[in-house]
Amino acid sequence: IMLFTDESKPLTIDELDKLSVQEQLSRLQMNNIMSQQQRQSVSQALCDNLPDLKSSPHKRIRLKSILFQYIQTMLEMQQLAVEQWSHMHLALSLFSFLMQLYVNEGETKNTKKLKIFLYYFIIFCKKQNFNGQQFLQLHGSKKSGSNQLICKTVATGLNIKMGPLTGAKKVFGTWIEDNVLNKKTQSTDQ
């Protein structure tokens, strides 16, 4: 949600965190929210579990809007080369990687570490407007240790300690290799 909301107008839904991560992520699978009717169904299912959402039409409308923005950005991201990714595409790529990890592995040490990194990465991408081209330049500027460099860049950009971020380096590296660099190669081959 935070990726698609303004810091000054966050969408807070009481008890959303009480839903399991698996349940939250299953609702965000692209094949579950492609059409307006599917997004309506997801919204209704969430209303059944979350009294705050059920009692607030404004929050329901904002949630449906966020689901629409999410699916549109995902579809757009799939069509673009990494160099063309906006800060939204870059953060969403890492989010979708984390989503797939949860689907495949469930809640593990790796997914917990990556979830923490993702939180800070989204904030960093939004505040710094850090996009795909900048990411590739930073990653390519140093052949070994680039994961560490990216963690350091995020920590420095947000003025936080690197500790919470470094735990995700290895998993983060898998996302870079499998999803970002592999996509870059695929887009240049076409």
Side-chain angles (χ1 to χ4, degrees), residues 1 4-5 11 62-71:
I1 291 178
F4 295 99
T5 57
L11 174 59
R62 283 191 68 199
L63 178 64
K64 284 185 235 173
S65 173
I66 288 169
L67 290 175
F68 179 74
Q69 289 174 344
Y70 167 76
I71 198 71

Side-chain angles (χ1 to χ4, degrees), residues 25-88:
L25 293 180
S26 71
R27 306 218 190 268
L28 292 176
Q29 296 293 323
M30 285 183 62
N31 58 346
N32 292 339
I33 57 172
M34 286 295 284
S35 71
Q36 184 175 0
Q37 184 178 5
Q38 288 172 314
R39 290 187 296 276
Q40 176 68 32
S41 176
V42 165
S43 177
Q44 186 58 51
L46 287 171
C47 284
D48 293 342
N49 292 312
L50 303 167
D52 183 38
L53 195 58
K54 189 173 191 167
S55 67
S56 177
H58 176 71
K59 288 183 180 183
R60 283 194 308 275
I61 290 167
R62 283 191 68 199
L63 178 64
K64 284 185 235 173
S65 173
I66 288 169
L67 290 175
F68 179 74
Q69 289 174 344
Y70 167 76
I71 198 71
Q72 292 299 100
T73 308
M74 286 289 284
L75 292 171
E76 193 177 83
M77 179 184 71
Q78 292 173 351
Q79 301 301 315
L80 296 172
V82 177
E83 297 87 353
Q84 298 170 312
W85 282 359
S86 69
H87 69 281
M88 296 283 284

